[in-house]
């Protein structure tokens, strides 16, 4: 099984932590970087090879990970000379990719079974499988529903339930057909194109542990929780 880890972003929302380090290498706990945890998890799940798409401070990632043998993986790299979006880096890799593979952000902290995501994708027949997580968003205001200048309903500080993308996907190589290598391609664009074609992605519902380390408060939470979550996140790794 093969995985592609997207690690080329600048981590703007996580500054100042990412001023000198790429976001996937910011430390979690006393001993581990996020990317190291991900690589350990992939190896424990049965993945044998991995491509890391690098850009901003990418040479630091290359120096840290090397060829991946310390985690039982064969790791190679794809370099972005300019930002290509979430899915754009895959277009330049297309000839090196297997028929189906896992794609994931390099800053995800979760106990998701990556191998099962890929197995379910292969069995679904869908062009794309999206790992989905339930999030509740609390609105800190009274919400008005208006019609023709009149208030017709009012809800005090409601909560709204969503299914959000976890930043982990099962993808078929053929899904990338028709897109031009070297041009940006976002995850949102790919999903909207598939929906227009009535070629719906498959949702992999997940209710375990998940944090997207994208903001300082999420990063602080990850560090605060890591000691109690370590055995869950690194089981079998």
């Amino acid at each position: 099984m093969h995985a592609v880890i997207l690690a080329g972003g600048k981590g703007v929302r996580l500054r100042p932590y990412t001023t000198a380090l790429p976001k996937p290498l910011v430390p979690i706990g006393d001993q581990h970087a996020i990317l190291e945890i991900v690589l350990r998890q992939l190896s424990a799940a049965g993945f044998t090879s991995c491509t890391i798409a690098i850009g901003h401070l990418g040479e630091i990632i290359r120096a840290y990970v090397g060829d991946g043998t310390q985690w039982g993986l064969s790791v190679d790299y794809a370099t972005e000379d300019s930002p290509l979006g979430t899915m754009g880096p895959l277009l330049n890799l297309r000839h090196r990719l297997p028929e189906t593979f896992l794609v994931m952000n390099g800053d995800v902290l979760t106990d998701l079974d990556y191998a099962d995501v890929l197995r379910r994708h292969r069995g679904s027949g869908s062009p794309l499988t999206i790992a989905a997580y339930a999030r509740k968003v609390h609105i800190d205001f009274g919400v008005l529903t208006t019609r023709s200048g009149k208030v017709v309903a009012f809800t005090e500080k409601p909560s709204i339930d969503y299914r959000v993308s976890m930043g982990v996907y099962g993808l078929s190589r053929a899904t990338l057909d028709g897109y031009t290598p070297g041009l940006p391609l976002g995850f949102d664009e790919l999903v909207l194109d598939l929906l227009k074609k009535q070629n719906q992605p498959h949702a992999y519902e997940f209710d375990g542990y998940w944090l997207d380390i994208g903001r300082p408060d999420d990063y602080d939470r990850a560090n605060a929780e890591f000691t109690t979550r370590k055995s869950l996140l690194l089981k079998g790794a």
Side-chain angles (χ1 to χ4, degrees):
M1 292 186 292
H2 185 78
V4 178
I5 299 177
L6 305 171
K10 293 184 178 181
V12 173
R13 292 182 299 158
L14 204 56
R15 288 176 179 168
Y17 301 112
T18 52
T19 301
L21 279 177
K23 185 165 59 170
L25 291 188
V26 295
I28 299 292
D30 297 328
Q31 297 178 316
H32 305 284
I34 299 173
L35 183 57
E36 178 198 347
I37 293 170
V38 168
L39 291 170
R40 286 176 178 271
Q41 290 175 325
L42 289 171
S43 179
F47 285 79
T48 57
S49 58
C50 174
T51 299
I52 304 178
I54 56 176
H56 176 66
L57 301 177
E59 290 308 310
I60 300 177
I61 294 176
R62 191 190 292 266
Y64 182 88
V65 175
D67 62 5
T69 53
Q70 60 181 312
W71 299 294
L73 293 166
S74 175
V75 174
D76 62 5
Y77 299 87
T79 303
E80 295 180 41
D81 296 323
S82 59
L84 295 175
T86 308
M87 293 294 174
L90 303 175
L91 303 178
N92 293 329
L93 295 173
R94 194 182 182 286
H95 65 286
R96 294 158 51 183
L97 295 171
E99 183 179 346
T100 58
F101 52 95
L102 190 82
V103 183
M104 64 177 296
N105 295 339
D107 57 354
V108 173
L109 200 61
T110 180
D111 64 330
L112 175 69
D113 185 339
Y114 296 125
D116 193 51
V117 173
L118 189 52
R119 282 193 294 267
R120 293 270 292 275
H121 172 68
R122 289 170 173 168
S124 71
S126 296
L128 171 69
T129 294
I130 305 170
Y133 195 80
R135 291 295 290 262
K136 186 182 291 290
V137 179
H138 299 281
I139 308 300
D140 292 330
F141 305 95
V143 175
L144 305 174
T145 302
T146 62
R147 189 176 302 124
S148 301
K150 295 181 182 290
V151 176
V152 297
F154 172 78
T155 307
E156 175 65 12
K157 297 181 180 179
S159 295
I160 304 173
D161 294 314
Y162 290 101
R163 282 284 175 183
V164 301
S165 168
M166 294 174 60
V168 180
Y169 321 104
L171 188 63
S172 298
R173 189 177 59 205
T175 305
L176 303 174
D177 289 350
Y179 294 101
T180 304
L183 295 181
L185 176 64
F187 168 73
D188 55 342
E189 181 182 350
L190 178 64
V191 171
L192 290 172
D193 285 346
L194 291 172
L195 293 176
K196 287 178 184 176
K197 297 173 184 176
Q198 298 295 309
N199 196 6
Q200 287 89 353
H202 178 74
Y204 182 99
E205 307 282 352
F206 179 70
D207 60 1
Y209 183 77
W210 172 70
L211 273 179
D212 179 359
I213 314 300
R215 300 175 301 173
D217 55 345
D218 293 325
Y219 177 55
D220 291 342
R221 178 184 167 189
N223 273 291
E225 296 178 348
F226 184 70
T227 300
T228 58
R229 301 279 186 175
K230 184 175 179 179
S231 60
L232 175 71
L233 295 168
L234 290 175
K235 56 187 177 185

